[in-house]
Amino acid sequence: MSKKNHLPTEFYTGSDPTFIARGLLGKLLCRRVENVVLKAMIVETEAYSHQEKACHAYNLLRTKRTDTMFLKGGVFYVYLCYGVHHMLNVVTNVQGIPDAVLIRAVEPLDGVKRMQSNRKKNNIYELASGPGKTCQAMQVNLIQNAKPCSSADLWIEEGQNVNERGIGVSKRIGVDYAGEDAHLPWRFYLKMSKFVSRYNTK
DNA sequence: CTATCGATCCACT
DNA sequence: GTGGATCGATAGG
Protein backbone atom coordinates (compact mmCIF):
# COMPACT_ATOMS: atom_id res chain seq x y z
CA MET A 1 0.00 0.00 0.00
CA SER A 2 1.49 3.31 -1.02
CA LYS A 3 0.80 6.20 1.29
CA LYS A 4 -1.49 8.79 -0.27
CA ASN A 5 -0.50 12.41 -0.26
CA HIS A 6 -3.80 13.65 1.13
CA LEU A 7 -4.43 17.25 2.10
CA PRO A 8 -4.45 17.96 5.85
CA THR A 9 -7.86 18.36 7.49
CA GLU A 10 -7.15 21.99 8.30
CA PHE A 11 -7.03 22.71 4.60
CA TYR A 12 -10.77 22.05 4.41
CA THR A 13 -11.84 23.53 7.72
CA GLY A 14 -9.47 26.42 8.26
CA SER A 15 -10.78 29.21 6.07
CA ASP A 16 -13.63 30.62 4.06
CA PRO A 17 -14.72 28.82 0.88
CA THR A 18 -13.25 31.37 -1.53
CA PHE A 19 -9.79 30.79 -0.09
CA ILE A 20 -10.21 27.04 -0.30
CA ALA A 21 -11.60 27.31 -3.84
CA ARG A 22 -8.39 29.09 -4.83
CA GLY A 23 -6.31 26.57 -2.93
CA LEU A 24 -7.85 23.60 -4.68
CA LEU A 25 -6.60 24.83 -8.06
CA GLY A 26 -3.63 22.70 -9.08
CA LYS A 27 -4.56 19.88 -6.68
CA LEU A 28 -5.21 16.39 -8.04
CA LEU A 29 -8.63 14.76 -8.09
CA CYS A 30 -8.08 11.01 -8.02
CA ARG A 31 -10.41 8.08 -8.56
CA ARG A 32 -9.93 4.35 -8.40
CA VAL A 33 -12.40 2.15 -10.25
CA GLU A 34 -11.70 -1.55 -10.33
CA ASN A 35 -7.97 -1.58 -11.07
CA VAL A 36 -7.83 1.69 -12.94
CA VAL A 37 -6.64 4.93 -11.35
CA LEU A 38 -7.85 8.20 -12.83
CA LYS A 39 -6.05 11.42 -11.98
CA ALA A 40 -6.81 14.96 -13.05
CA MET A 41 -5.68 18.42 -12.02
CA ILE A 42 -8.34 20.79 -10.74
CA VAL A 43 -8.36 23.88 -12.98
CA GLU A 44 -11.71 25.54 -12.16
CA THR A 45 -13.73 25.90 -8.96
CA GLU A 46 -16.56 27.91 -7.44
CA ALA A 47 -17.16 28.82 -3.81
CA TYR A 48 -20.55 28.56 -2.09
CA SER A 49 -21.32 29.92 1.34
CA HIS A 50 -24.29 29.50 3.69
CA GLN A 51 -24.43 33.30 3.77
CA GLU A 52 -25.44 33.78 0.13
CA LYS A 53 -28.45 32.79 -1.92
CA ALA A 54 -26.78 30.62 -4.55
CA CYS A 55 -25.92 28.05 -1.91
CA HIS A 56 -28.22 25.06 -1.39
CA ALA A 57 -27.80 25.53 2.34
CA TYR A 58 -28.39 29.27 2.30
CA ASN A 59 -29.32 30.61 5.69
CA LEU A 60 -28.48 27.22 7.20
CA LEU A 61 -31.32 25.56 5.30
CA ARG A 62 -31.16 21.93 6.28
CA THR A 63 -32.84 19.32 4.11
CA LYS A 64 -32.22 15.73 3.13
CA ARG A 65 -30.03 16.95 0.30
CA THR A 66 -28.03 19.56 2.21
CA ASP A 67 -27.36 17.33 5.21
CA THR A 68 -23.96 16.51 3.74
CA MET A 69 -22.96 20.16 3.72
CA PHE A 70 -23.35 20.33 7.49
CA LEU A 71 -20.65 17.72 8.01
CA LYS A 72 -17.14 18.74 8.98
CA GLY A 73 -15.12 20.00 6.03
CA GLY A 74 -13.20 17.41 4.07
CA VAL A 75 -16.01 15.29 2.64
CA PHE A 76 -17.51 15.27 -0.86
CA TYR A 77 -20.97 16.65 -1.53
CA VAL A 78 -22.48 15.11 -4.67
CA TYR A 79 -25.92 15.85 -6.04
CA LEU A 80 -27.90 15.38 -9.23
CA CYS A 81 -28.62 18.45 -11.32
CA TYR A 82 -31.21 18.82 -14.06
CA GLY A 83 -32.05 15.17 -13.46
CA VAL A 84 -29.07 14.30 -15.62
CA HIS A 85 -25.74 15.52 -14.33
CA HIS A 86 -23.86 14.90 -11.13
CA MET A 87 -22.02 17.77 -9.46
CA LEU A 88 -18.98 17.20 -7.27
CA ASN A 89 -18.27 19.53 -4.37
CA VAL A 90 -15.90 19.57 -1.45
CA VAL A 91 -17.50 20.48 1.87
CA THR A 92 -15.54 23.09 3.78
CA ASN A 93 -15.69 24.84 7.15
CA VAL A 94 -16.39 23.29 10.52
CA GLN A 95 -19.25 20.96 11.35
CA GLY A 96 -22.58 22.79 11.32
CA ILE A 97 -21.46 25.58 8.99
CA PRO A 98 -22.40 24.51 5.44
CA ASP A 99 -19.92 25.91 2.92
CA ALA A 100 -18.62 24.11 -0.15
CA VAL A 101 -16.48 24.33 -3.27
CA LEU A 102 -17.79 23.07 -6.61
CA ILE A 103 -15.21 21.39 -8.82
CA ARG A 104 -16.08 22.71 -12.27
CA ALA A 105 -13.29 21.44 -14.49
CA VAL A 106 -10.19 19.25 -14.39
CA GLU A 107 -7.26 18.50 -16.68
CA PRO A 108 -7.02 14.73 -17.35
CA LEU A 109 -3.60 13.30 -16.47
CA ASP A 110 -3.80 9.55 -15.76
CA GLY A 111 -6.34 7.08 -17.10
CA VAL A 112 -7.20 9.31 -20.02
CA LYS A 113 -8.36 6.37 -22.16
CA ARG A 114 -10.86 5.42 -19.50
CA MET A 115 -12.14 8.99 -19.31
CA GLN A 116 -12.52 9.11 -23.09
CA SER A 117 -14.50 5.91 -22.87
CA ASN A 118 -16.68 7.29 -20.06
CA ARG A 119 -17.35 10.45 -22.01
CA LYS A 120 -17.63 8.86 -25.44
CA LYS A 121 -15.34 11.62 -26.67
CA ASN A 122 -11.70 11.65 -27.70
CA ASN A 123 -10.90 15.36 -27.55
CA ILE A 124 -9.08 15.77 -24.24
CA TYR A 125 -10.30 19.35 -23.91
CA GLU A 126 -13.90 18.16 -23.86
CA LEU A 127 -13.51 15.39 -21.31
CA ALA A 128 -13.97 17.41 -18.13
CA SER A 129 -14.55 21.05 -19.11
CA GLY A 130 -17.61 21.45 -16.89
CA PRO A 131 -18.96 20.05 -13.62
CA GLY A 132 -21.22 17.45 -15.23
CA LYS A 133 -18.50 16.37 -17.63
CA THR A 134 -16.01 16.07 -14.80
CA CYS A 135 -18.25 13.65 -12.92
CA GLN A 136 -18.94 11.62 -16.04
CA ALA A 137 -15.25 11.39 -16.90
CA MET A 138 -14.26 10.50 -13.33
CA GLN A 139 -17.24 8.16 -12.78
CA VAL A 140 -18.50 10.12 -9.81
CA ASN A 141 -22.08 9.62 -8.65
CA LEU A 142 -24.29 9.80 -5.57
CA ILE A 143 -22.49 6.85 -4.01
CA GLN A 144 -19.59 9.21 -3.32
CA ASN A 145 -21.80 11.65 -1.42
CA ALA A 146 -20.62 12.36 2.14
CA LYS A 147 -17.45 10.30 1.72
CA PRO A 148 -14.17 11.76 3.01
CA CYS A 149 -11.79 13.46 0.57
CA SER A 150 -9.32 10.77 1.55
CA SER A 151 -11.47 7.80 0.52
CA ALA A 152 -9.88 4.79 -1.15
CA ASP A 153 -11.98 5.19 -4.30
CA LEU A 154 -12.06 9.00 -4.52
CA TRP A 155 -9.60 11.41 -3.02
CA ILE A 156 -7.71 14.68 -3.46
CA GLU A 157 -3.95 14.90 -3.23
CA GLU A 158 -1.21 17.50 -3.55
CA GLY A 159 -0.41 18.66 -7.05
CA GLN A 160 1.09 21.73 -8.66
CA ASN A 161 1.83 24.91 -6.77
CA VAL A 162 -0.22 27.70 -8.27
CA ASN A 163 0.87 31.32 -8.45
CA GLU A 164 -1.86 33.72 -7.33
CA ARG A 165 -1.27 35.77 -10.45
CA GLY A 166 -2.15 32.77 -12.59
CA ILE A 167 -5.67 32.64 -11.17
CA GLY A 168 -8.56 34.19 -13.06
CA VAL A 169 -11.71 35.34 -11.26
CA SER A 170 -15.29 35.79 -12.46
CA LYS A 171 -18.84 35.53 -11.26
CA ARG A 172 -20.24 32.03 -10.91
CA ILE A 173 -22.00 30.27 -13.74
CA GLY A 174 -25.66 29.32 -13.76
CA VAL A 175 -26.70 31.04 -10.55
CA ASP A 176 -28.76 33.93 -11.90
CA TYR A 177 -31.59 32.91 -9.58
CA ALA A 178 -29.47 34.13 -6.65
CA GLY A 179 -30.25 37.81 -7.18
CA GLU A 180 -27.47 40.14 -6.12
CA ASP A 181 -25.36 37.21 -4.91
CA ALA A 182 -25.15 36.02 -8.51
CA HIS A 183 -22.55 38.72 -9.06
CA LEU A 184 -20.13 37.56 -6.38
CA PRO A 185 -16.68 36.99 -7.96
CA TRP A 186 -16.41 33.47 -6.61
CA ARG A 187 -15.42 31.45 -9.67
CA PHE A 188 -11.71 30.72 -9.90
CA TYR A 189 -9.75 29.16 -12.73
CA LEU A 190 -6.23 28.76 -14.06
CA LYS A 191 -5.84 31.48 -16.68
CA MET A 192 -3.39 29.49 -18.78
CA SER A 193 -5.43 26.30 -18.78
CA LYS A 194 -7.14 25.05 -21.92
CA PHE A 195 -9.22 22.70 -19.83
CA VAL A 196 -11.59 25.18 -18.18
CA SER A 197 -15.26 25.32 -19.13
CA ARG A 198 -15.90 27.49 -22.16
CA TYR A 199 -17.95 30.09 -20.42
CA ASN A 200 -16.11 33.25 -19.43
CA THR A 201 -18.67 35.41 -17.71
CA LYS A 202 -17.00 38.42 -16.26
C1' DC B 1 -50.17 14.76 -3.52
C1' DT B 2 -48.75 17.99 -7.28
C1' DA B 3 -46.05 21.70 -9.45
C1' DT B 4 -41.87 23.79 -10.08
C1' DC B 5 -37.14 24.14 -11.00
C1' DG B 6 -32.50 23.57 -11.44
C1' DA B 7 -24.48 25.10 -9.31
C1' DT B 8 -25.76 21.38 -17.25
C1' DC B 9 -24.86 19.40 -21.68
C1' DC B 10 -25.58 18.57 -26.37
C1' DA B 11 -27.76 18.67 -30.79
C1' DC B 12 -29.43 21.58 -33.90
C1' DT B 13 -30.32 26.05 -36.51
C1' DG C 1 -27.65 31.24 -30.12
C1' DT C 2 -31.51 28.31 -28.67
C1' DG C 3 -34.29 24.66 -26.72
C1' DG C 4 -35.08 19.91 -25.09
C1' DA C 5 -33.82 16.18 -21.99
C1' DT C 6 -34.88 14.33 -17.49
C1' DC C 7 -35.81 13.38 -12.49
C1' DG C 8 -35.01 14.08 -7.61
C1' DA C 9 -35.45 17.55 -4.20
C1' DT C 10 -38.22 20.89 -2.53
C1' DA C 11 -42.15 23.64 -1.00
C1' DG C 12 -46.77 24.24 -0.60
C1' DG C 13 -51.80 22.62 -0.51
Side-chain angles (χ1 to χ4, degrees):
Chain A
M1 280 292 290
S2 62
K3 201 170 177 179
K4 299 281 172 28
N5 198 9
H6 295 139
L7 309 187
T9 316
E10 313 84 69
F11 176 88
Y12 299 108
T13 59
S15 45
D16 73 85
T18 61
F19 189 85
I20 296 169
R22 286 172 172 275
L24 280 171
L25 296 175
K27 299 290 189 290
L28 304 184
L29 178 65
C30 310
R31 174 88 165 105
R32 175 184 280 278
V33 190
E34 295 146 26
N35 287 320
V36 182
V37 173
L38 311 177
K39 293 200 180 191
M41 183 171 72
I42 298 170
V43 298
E44 180 178 339
T45 58
E46 281 178 359
Y48 288 84
S49 156
H50 66 287
Q51 298 179 86
E52 47 86 16
K53 298 191 189 74
C55 184
H56 292 160
Y58 170 56
N59 206 17
L60 300 181
L61 175 67
R62 189 155 193 165
T63 64
K64 184 177 179 181
R65 182 173 63 162
T66 64
D67 253 358
T68 303
M69 293 186 70
F70 286 78
L71 296 173
K72 181 182 177 183
V75 300
F76 293 111
Y77 167 45
V78 185
Y79 68 93
L80 186 61
C81 188
Y82 292 94
V84 197
H85 302 106
H86 294 283
M87 302 283 119
L88 176 64
N89 299 253
V90 172
V91 174
T92 70
N93 221 319
V94 298
Q95 183 177 14
I97 306 296
D99 295 343
V101 174
L102 171 67
I103 296 178
R104 283 196 56 88
V106 298
E107 173 180 342
L109 298 177
D110 294 350
V112 177
K113 283 185 180 175
R114 181 62 167 265
M115 295 189 211
Q116 289 170 319
S117 167
N118 291 340
R119 289 274 300 124
K120 299 179 172 59
K121 299 248 184 199
N122 288 323
N123 187 335
I124 56 172
Y125 299 113
E126 296 179 4
L127 293 183
S129 55
K133 298 176 189 177
T134 295
C135 287
Q136 190 180 16
M138 301 291 286
Q139 296 180 246
V140 171
N141 54 62
L142 294 177
I143 295 173
Q144 323 293 336
N145 185 41
K147 284 191 177 181
C149 299
S150 56
S151 298
D153 57 346
L154 183 66
W155 70 96
I156 294 173
E157 61 182 42
E158 289 293 350
Q160 304 280 18
N161 279 329
V162 170
N163 189 308
E164 282 292 316
R165 287 179 302 224
I167 298 177
V169 182
S170 81
K171 73 176 191 179
R172 295 169 295 180
I173 293 169
V175 296
D176 289 344
Y177 60 86
E180 59 201 24
D181 290 332
H183 303 300
L184 291 171
W186 284 10
R187 170 174 173 254
F188 307 97
Y189 57 96
L190 296 183
K191 283 182 193 170
M192 293 298 107
S193 177
K194 295 182 176 178
F195 294 87
V196 299
S197 64
R198 282 188 173 270
Y199 310 101
N200 244 326
T201 47
K202 291 263 179 180

